């Protein structure tokens, strides 16, 4: 399967619901996307609404990957910096690929599409993201060209007694 990526798709109820469903599916499969399993789309909805509001205000851009049937199978939010001294880089949030597609190269395709999207914005020289330690995610991002630039030990509490490192990664675009 090969996904087709679109930056800033029109957001309608179908897209919103597909993102919510994907987010819940990724979380329930153990994905590190801000929640812990089990989770329902309704529990995720307030977070997605916040991200969509940021989009309408011009602070964030949505990248979606759809399959040949037009179903959302991957997402990432490119969030611009508002601080005047940091507008030359952006954050990448909520990086998700349908668990059914993992291991097929679609994650790397999403990361390449995100880098292309960031380059298209003009003036963006780097992408930063954070990932949760303990799952090998930093290795995936390194294979996509990112470098670990910082780590805060035990900054993420997944559950009592289960603290994970918050790992900062950077991809220079120039």
């Amino acid at each position: 399967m090969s996904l087709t990526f679109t930056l800033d798709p029109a957001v309608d109820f179908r897209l919103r619901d597909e993102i919510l469903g994907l987010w819940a599916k990724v979380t329930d499969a153990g994905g590190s996307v801000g929640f812990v399993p089990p989770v329902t789309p309704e529990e995720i909805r307030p977070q997605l609404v916040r991200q969509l509001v940021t989009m309408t205000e011009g602070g964030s851009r949505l990248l979606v990957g759809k399959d040949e049937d037009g179903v959302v199978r991957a997402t990432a939010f490119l969030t611009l910096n508002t601080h005047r001294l940091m507008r030359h880089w952006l954050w990448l949030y909520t990086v998700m690929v349908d668990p059914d597609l993992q291991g097929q190269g679609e994650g790397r395709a999403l990361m390449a599409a995100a880098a292309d999207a960031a380059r298209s914005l003009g003036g963006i020289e780097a992408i930063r993201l954070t990932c949760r330690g303990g799952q090998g995610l930093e290795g995936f991002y390194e294979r996509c060209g990112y470098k670990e630039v910082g780590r805060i030990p035990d900054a993420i509490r997944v559950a009592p007694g289960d603290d994970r490192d918050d790992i900062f990664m950077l991809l220079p675009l120039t």
Side-chain angles (χ1 to χ4, degrees), residues 115-143:
D116 289 343
R119 285 184 191 97
S120 78
L121 301 180
I124 300 299
E125 299 173 12
I127 300 174
R128 284 178 59 179
L129 61 80
T130 63
C131 62
R132 184 186 305 170
Q135 296 180 289
L137 294 172
E138 63 271 33
F140 166 74
Y141 291 119
E142 286 171 354
R143 290 188 297 278

Side-chain angles (χ1 to χ4, degrees), residues 87-103:
R87 291 186 181 140
H88 60 289
W89 59 268
L90 59 74
W91 286 100
L92 193 61
Y93 291 114
T94 321
V95 176
M96 300 187 290
V97 173
D98 188 316
D100 295 337
L101 301 181
Q102 290 179 0

Side-chain angles (χ1 to χ4, degrees), residues 68-171:
E68 62 275 355
D69 295 322
V71 176
V72 174
R73 305 290 295 270
T75 67
F77 282 89
L78 293 84
T79 301
L80 305 171
N81 280 297
T82 57
H83 193 286
R84 66 188 160 278
L85 302 178
M86 297 182 189
R87 291 186 181 140
H88 60 289
W89 59 268
L90 59 74
W91 286 100
L92 193 61
Y93 291 114
T94 321
V95 176
M96 300 187 290
V97 173
D98 188 316
D100 295 337
L101 301 181
Q102 290 179 0
Q104 299 177 28
E106 298 300 347
R108 282 182 185 241
L110 172 62
M111 298 308 292
D116 289 343
R119 285 184 191 97
S120 78
L121 301 180
I124 300 299
E125 299 173 12
I127 300 174
R128 284 178 59 179
L129 61 80
T130 63
C131 62
R132 184 186 305 170
Q135 296 180 289
L137 294 172
E138 63 271 33
F140 166 74
Y141 291 119
E142 286 171 354
R143 290 188 297 278
C144 293
Y146 285 74
K147 304 285 185 233
E148 182 176 329
V149 295
R151 182 181 290 249
I152 302 173
D154 301 328
I156 300 170
R157 179 154 294 157
V158 177
D162 186 2
D163 294 343
R164 310 283 179 87
D165 293 354
D166 191 8
I167 303 167
F168 291 79
M169 309 289 294
L170 180 77
L171 176 70

